[in-house]
């Protein structure tokens, strides 16, 4: 059995799995990206420090400049050589291009400690193309001549290429992550089905059992009811008071059991997703009148005034038996949970393209906390009272199932100063 409840559960589980897989995939992608980036930068920093030492040695030995003219012109590698106190410039290879000027403008951010490196992320200087950004790796090392430190050499490597490559890699990784995510969603959907299947089988068996058991109990109960009625009406026999009481008890309990089996069967059917016959057009005005008349006797017996107002020509496409049951449930509750000398108002009217059925009573009312629970099966606010009234706690859950099957809504509101308003709206 695979009904709407399980389909919704499956979608919810798929969503949860998708979120978990998505977070995992993103975490893996970003960790991998960070590791690769960190490795590349660490390696580049080491290489640049080595290069500074190497170029310093070359300069001391042969007077060769650290950067070629081409590198200075392109801004790919720049150098700046000063005395240790920074007062005298020995060699300036920053060039007169925008890169060199930008690096010079940010000289306070150059690495200070010997053999250290620093990434300089800078915006272009005035006169540069707006929003130009420069990314350089800077390194500094001492320059020694015959064991004596004669100055410090700064070298700046343009690492724009690495950033561009890193972004390209990240984009590709994210594309792979998106593909993996789609696959993960499918996998989650499949996994959810696999996990739900045993539960749904168990649920179906239980539903089948409830439906079968209720069905099997119908005939013996009908026989018992008839037999008890026969006994009660048998004028030839004279019963003791105890026997008469017992017959009365058998009659009321069999009536209760019949109602229970009917309700259980109806609920089992709605659980199975078997929709009632929603094709016939029903005259709701007539149906409301019938139910009102049917229950007005009960109202009279309890000393309750039952007021009825129905708009004319209210028609609805739905299941007549189910809607009849819905009205009985609402009215029965209003009469059952209201004391004598109160009024129950039963109305049906058209409102905003909906059929609005309202049952208003002046009874004990339902607390806000219980309003959510009364639709649960076998839930009764006051068990002893409800039982004494013949209540099983199935009425409202069945009413809710019928309303849902007709794509409507059911609401419980408070009646002022006391009592309950049951409001059902069904699409016309
Ligand atoms: P049954 O299965 O015979 O209808 P029930 O009336 O006890 O039994 P529900 O109709 O589902 O079960 O109602 C659940 C509970 O909600 C009731 O036990 C009652 O406590 C409370 N309730 C329902 N309608 C009203 C009402 N109009 N006023 C006050 N309490 C109500
Ligand atoms: Mg009820």
């Amino acid at each position: 059995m695979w009904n709407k409840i399980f389909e919704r559960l499956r979608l919810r589980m798929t969503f949860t799995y998708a979120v978990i897989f998505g977070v995992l995939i993103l975490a893996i992608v970003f960790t991998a990206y960070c590791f690769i980036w960190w490795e590349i930068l660490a390696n580049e920093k080491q290489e640049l420090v080595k290069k500074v030492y190497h170029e310093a040695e070359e300069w001391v030995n042969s007077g060769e400049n650290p950067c070629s003219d081409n590198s200075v012109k392109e801004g790919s590698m720049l150098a700046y050589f000063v005395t240790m106190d920074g007062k005298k410039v020995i060699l300036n290879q920053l060039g007169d291009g925008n890169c060199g000027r930008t690096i010079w403008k940010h000289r306070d951010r150059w690495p200070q400690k010997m053999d250290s490196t620093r990434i300089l992320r800078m915006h272009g200087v005035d006169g540069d193309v707006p929003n130009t950004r420069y990314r350089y790796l800077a390194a500094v090392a001492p320059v020694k001549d015959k064991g004596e430190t004669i100055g410090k050499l700064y070298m700046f490597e343009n690492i724009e290429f690495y950033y561009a490559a890193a972004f390209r890699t990240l984009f590709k990784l994210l594309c792979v992550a998106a593909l993996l995510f789609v696959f993960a969603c499918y996998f989650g959907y499949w996994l959810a089905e696999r996990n739900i299947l045993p539960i749904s089988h168990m649920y179906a068996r239980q539903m089948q059992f409830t439906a079968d058991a209720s069905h099997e109990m119908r005939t013996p109960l009908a026989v018992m009811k008839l037999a008890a009625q026969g006994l009660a009406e048998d004028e030839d026999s004279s019963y003791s008071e105890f026997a008469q009481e017992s017959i009365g008890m058998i009659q009321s309990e069999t009536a209760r059991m019949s109602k229970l089996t009917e309700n259980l069967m109806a609920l089992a059917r709605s659980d199975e997703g078997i929709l009632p016959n929603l094709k016939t057009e029903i005259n709701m005005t007539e149906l409301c009148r019938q139910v009102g008349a049917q229950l007005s006797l009960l109202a009279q017996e309890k000393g309750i005034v039952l007021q009825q107002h129905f708009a004319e020509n209210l028609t609805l496409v739905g299941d007549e038996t189910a809607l009849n049951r819905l009205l009985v449930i609402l009215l029965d509750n209003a009469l059952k949970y209201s004391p004598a000398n109160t009024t129950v108002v039963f109305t049906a009217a058209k409102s905003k393209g909906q059929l609005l059925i309202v049952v208003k009573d002046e009874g004990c009312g339902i607390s806000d906390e219980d309003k959510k629970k009364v639709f649960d099966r076998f839930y009764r606010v006051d068990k002893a009272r409800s039982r004494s009234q013949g209540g099983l706690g199935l009425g409202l859950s069945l009413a809710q199932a019928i309303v849902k099957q007709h794509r409507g809504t059911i609401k419980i509101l408070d009646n002022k100063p006391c009592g309950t308003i049951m409001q059902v709206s069904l699409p016309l």
Side-chain angles (χ1 to χ4, degrees):
M1 192 188 84
W2 192 265
N3 62 17
K4 266 190 192 159
I5 309 171
F6 288 109
E7 193 50 45
R8 240 179 287 145
L9 184 63
R10 183 187 189 176
L11 288 179
R12 220 180 302 158
M13 281 175 84
T14 309
F15 177 74
T16 314
Y17 288 144
V19 170
I20 295 172
F21 288 144
V23 170
L24 274 178
I25 292 169
L26 278 184
I28 292 171
V29 162
F30 278 107
T31 316
Y33 171 76
C34 290
F35 272 126
I36 295 170
W37 189 220
W38 186 76
E39 273 295 327
I40 290 173
L41 271 186
N43 182 58
E44 212 45 43
K45 283 175 182 173
Q46 238 177 18
E47 290 299 313
L48 188 62
V49 173
K50 268 193 217 161
K51 191 173 170 62
V52 179
Y53 271 102
H54 173 74
E55 295 299 338
E57 212 177 295
E58 295 257 290
W59 188 85
V60 170
N61 293 340
S62 59
E64 191 186 319
N65 283 351
C67 306
S68 68
D69 291 345
N70 222 9
S71 324
V72 177
K73 207 168 128 201
E74 282 172 2
S76 58
M77 186 69 86
L78 306 171
Y80 190 75
F81 186 14
V82 276
T83 50
M84 285 311 276
D85 57 9
K87 283 187 179 148
K88 193 172 161 227
V89 181
I90 302 167
L91 177 73
N92 184 350
Q93 276 203 299
L94 291 178
D96 47 13
N98 285 336
C99 330
R101 287 198 294 133
T102 309
I103 291 176
W104 178 248
K105 191 182 159 200
H106 293 91
R107 59 190 173 281
D108 53 324
R109 285 169 53 197
W110 293 3
Q112 295 303 323
K113 248 174 66 192
M114 287 305 124
D115 303 340
S116 70
T117 56
R118 197 157 189 190
I119 293 173
L120 305 176
R121 292 186 194 89
M122 305 161 293
H123 285 283
V125 283
D126 298 338
D128 212 339
V129 180
N131 296 328
T132 313
R133 282 200 310 186
Y134 297 100
R135 293 188 185 96
Y136 276 86
L137 183 63
V140 61
V143 181
K144 287 188 178 153
D145 188 9
K146 292 178 195 123
E148 191 193 331
T149 308
I150 55 167
K152 50 187 176 181
L153 175 63
Y154 290 94
M155 284 189 79
F156 306 91
E157 184 190 358
N158 190 338
I159 50 169
E160 201 60 53
F161 162 77
Y162 292 104
Y163 273 89
F167 279 123
R168 276 200 303 274
T169 311
L170 183 62
F171 177 72
K172 282 175 194 161
L173 280 174
L174 284 178
C175 287
V176 174
L179 268 179
L180 280 178
F181 183 67
V182 172
F183 174 73
C185 287
Y186 270 113
F187 179 63
Y189 195 61
W190 174 80
L191 199 64
E193 185 186 5
R194 262 188 75 96
N195 288 342
I196 292 173
L197 219 53
I199 307 168
S200 78
H201 285 325
M202 227 165 66
Y203 185 76
R205 274 204 296 275
Q206 201 189 335
M207 280 302 114
Q208 194 58 45
F209 171 76
T210 314
D212 290 351
S214 314
H215 192 261
E216 289 306 314
M217 278 195 296
R218 269 165 119 191
T219 322
L221 275 171
V223 174
M224 278 162 73
K225 216 164 143 183
L226 278 176
Q229 198 181 345
L231 280 176
E233 288 168 3
D234 182 11
E235 285 166 3
D236 297 341
S237 314
S238 60
Y239 299 113
S240 65
E241 211 172 293
F242 172 71
Q244 278 172 9
E245 242 175 61
S246 302
I247 292 168
M249 261 161 60
I250 293 171
Q251 277 183 308
S252 69
E253 287 304 310
T254 43
R256 226 171 94 82
M257 285 289 283
S258 306
K259 192 174 142 194
L260 174 67
T261 50
E262 289 298 328
N263 285 353
L264 279 178
M265 266 176 65
L267 278 170
R269 249 183 264 130
S270 85
D271 284 342
E272 278 175 23
I274 300 173
L275 288 169
N277 178 14
L278 291 178
K279 292 205 180 85
T280 11
E281 187 160 289
I282 304 150
N283 184 339
M284 283 304 285
T285 314
E286 205 41 51
L287 190 67
C288 288
R289 274 198 193 118
Q290 274 172 23
V291 175
Q294 201 182 323
L295 283 143
S296 59
L297 281 176
L298 184 64
Q300 253 175 30
E301 235 173 67
K302 286 202 69 181
I304 295 171
V305 180
L306 178 59
Q307 287 181 2
Q308 305 176 49
H309 312 284
F310 311 121
E312 289 302 324
N313 301 323
L314 294 171
T315 51
L316 185 93
V317 177
D319 182 296
E320 187 161 3
T321 321
L323 289 169
N324 184 75
R325 193 177 257 148
L326 168 71
L327 298 177
V328 171
I329 290 169
L330 299 181
L331 264 188
D332 174 62
N333 277 354
L335 298 172
K336 218 157 57 174
Y337 302 110
S338 297
N341 303 321
T342 55
T343 308
V344 168
V345 185
F346 176 26
T347 57
K350 232 186 227 183
S351 162
K352 295 177 194 159
Q354 305 262 319
L355 168 63
L356 197 66
I357 300 167
V358 178
V359 178
K360 226 185 255 189
D361 67 52
E362 297 169 353
C364 53
I366 303 174
S367 70
D368 286 345
E369 195 190 329
D370 285 322
K371 276 190 188 99
K372 289 170 219 147
K373 298 183 190 160
V374 287
F375 293 109
D376 293 346
R377 285 169 201 186
F378 294 106
Y379 185 83
R380 287 161 295 177
V381 177
D382 182 344
K383 291 208 171 34
R385 182 166 177 217
S386 183
R387 203 188 143 75
S388 72
Q389 306 258 23
L392 303 158
L394 286 177
L396 286 180
S397 40
L398 193 54
Q400 192 183 40
I402 295 168
V403 171
K404 266 192 189 163
Q405 281 164 344
H406 287 79
R407 294 181 193 83
T409 54
I410 181 165
K411 262 192 235 165
I412 304 178
L413 306 169
D414 291 324
N415 193 12
K416 297 277 163 8
C418 64
T420 309
I421 302 174
M422 296 298 300
Q423 191 177 300
V424 171
S425 71
L426 303 168
L428 282 169

